[in-house]
Amino acid sequence: MEMFLQNFVTIFIIIMASDVGGNQRRDTDGMVIYVGEGGGGMFNTPYFDQEMVTNYTVQVGHSVKLSCIVRQIGSKTVSWVRKFDSAILSVDDMLVTFDDRISIDKVSYLSQWSLNIKSAVPSDSGQYECQVSTEHKLSKIVNLSVMVPSLAIDGSPSILASAGSNITLKCTVKGASHATNISWFYQNVDGSKNRLKEDKEKIVQTGPGSWMLVRVGPDSAGNYSCSTHTSNTAIVTINVVDGERIPEAMLEEELKSYSSSATNCLSAVTFPLWIALFTTGRMILLLKP
């Protein structure tokens, strides 16, 4: 009886093994994936790992690694291709592109080929194709999105201040997925920029992305900008006026003064007359008796 059971099990295993013939199915992308074992007891074609990530998002200026995982690669090779310009970036573990931000890592025991992109820029966004050198095209699309945070400066687009006062510059970052360094710049008359740096008596950094301009004067006026990357910038214009009063308050007092004197002067006039009063080259008041 024991001998009979052993023979039965042996025959059953042989039958089951002969029934496995490298059947194939298609995944949701229409990619051919072979499952099971062929008659020789081995997989007969490469296939992509079903756990392979196909969508990546990275913040501008940061690094990202796109991984392609191919099982049963055998003697075939894996290549990375950028879709929008059909540029071949790598073949197996050899880098083809001349972009020094891009590198390729091959980890054989993981069947993984990783395309690394440093300091990502918005133009890196798009589709990347992982290709296997099979007779019939075998490839997988990987999508990359490079996200650019938005910036806002308190008080923008312009800040009006009186000479001798202090001004706080604060830049706020929205939509950042990583801790982000904020740089501040002052734009010179010729359009060139100087990075803002501390000056004990004039400029003080009060926090990450925040500065204070101390006792501002005419030389403090101009355009100031904050940025986390060359692809995003926020600008504020600072205007400095003499004295402790801003032009609107000065203009209001001038109007009151000239309105009062004009009314007294016109009280004795009996014929129609248009009178325009000017001060410092600007029309202040227009009266019709």
Side-chain angles (χ1 to χ4, degrees):
M1 184 65 179
E2 183 179 351
M3 181 64 70
F4 172 77
L5 290 175
Q6 290 179 348
N7 291 336
F8 177 78
V9 171
T10 301
I11 294 171
F12 179 78
I13 293 174
I14 293 173
I15 292 174
M16 291 299 293
S18 63
D19 190 48
V20 178
N23 295 323
Q24 68 180 38
R25 61 182 174 80
R26 293 179 181 271
D27 65 4
T28 54
D29 293 327
M31 196 65 60
V32 177
I33 298 178
Y34 286 81
V35 295
E37 295 182 342
M42 299 178 63
F43 290 95
N44 54 11
T45 189
Y47 65 94
F48 291 103
D49 190 293
Q50 292 188 351
E51 301 301 320
M52 177 178 156
V53 178
T54 56
N55 292 290
Y56 292 84
T57 299
V58 64
Q59 184 173 311
V60 65
H62 290 261
S63 299
V64 63
K65 175 185 287 187
L66 313 182
S67 293
C68 181
I69 305 173
V70 184
R71 305 300 183 189
Q72 283 303 127
I73 188 65
S75 61
K76 306 302 182 183
T77 58
V78 172
S79 301
W80 275 103
V81 177
R82 188 168 53 210
K83 288 288 288 180
F84 84 87
D85 60 356
S86 299
I88 299 174
L89 305 177
S90 68
V91 177
D92 197 38
D93 60 352
M94 181 179 66
L95 194 65
V96 179
T97 182
F98 294 101
D99 190 337
D100 58 6
R101 298 181 304 114
I102 297 178
S103 62
I104 184 73
D105 287 335
K106 175 184 177 181
V107 184
S108 298
Y109 74 91
L110 293 177
S111 301
Q112 179 173 293
W113 288 257
S114 297
L115 185 70
N116 306 310
I117 303 176
K118 296 189 301 182
S119 303
V121 296
S123 59
D124 290 326
S125 295
Q127 294 184 331
Y128 293 78
E129 186 175 32
C130 179
Q131 296 182 354
V132 182
S133 61
T134 50
E135 182 178 354
H136 298 289
K137 183 179 179 181
L138 183 66
S139 65
K140 197 78 166 178
I141 295 296
V142 175
N143 300 290
L144 174 62
S145 176
V146 180
M147 182 265 298
V148 181
S150 61
L151 305 176
I153 299 176
D154 290 0
S156 62
S158 62
I159 296 175
L160 186 64
S162 58
S165 64
N166 299 333
I167 299 176
T168 297
L169 298 175
K170 183 178 181 181
C171 185
T172 304
V173 183
K174 298 179 181 178
S177 58
H178 296 78
T180 304
N181 293 324
I182 301 174
S183 299
W184 275 91
F185 299 89
Y186 173 75
Q187 185 173 328
N188 299 306
V189 177
D190 60 2
S192 62
K193 293 183 178 180
N194 292 334
R195 185 183 293 270
L196 220 59
K197 57 183 180 180
E198 283 196 302
D199 184 330
K200 185 178 296 186
E201 297 182 357
K202 290 186 177 182
I203 305 174
V204 178
Q205 186 168 12
T206 56
S210 299
W211 294 76
M212 177 177 287
L213 306 182
V214 182
R215 293 186 294 277
V216 296
D219 58 341
S220 303
N223 292 330
Y224 292 79
S225 62
C226 66
S227 176
T228 61
H229 188 266
T230 54
S231 59
N232 64 345
T233 301
I235 300 175
V236 64
T237 300
I238 292 180
N239 297 297
V240 180
V241 296
D242 293 333
E244 298 181 354
R245 295 173 299 172
I246 60 174
E248 284 82 356
M250 298 168 62
L251 181 58
E252 185 178 352
E253 290 187 9
E254 287 184 74
L255 283 171
K256 290 180 180 179
S257 174
Y258 280 98
S259 176
S260 176
S261 60
T263 301
N264 293 334
C265 291
L266 293 173
S267 58
V269 178
T270 57
F271 53 87
L273 179 66
W274 288 92
I275 300 177
L277 301 178
F278 293 83
T279 179
T280 62
R282 296 176 298 177
M283 188 172 73
I284 299 302
L285 184 65
L286 185 65
L287 299 173
K288 182 178 181 181

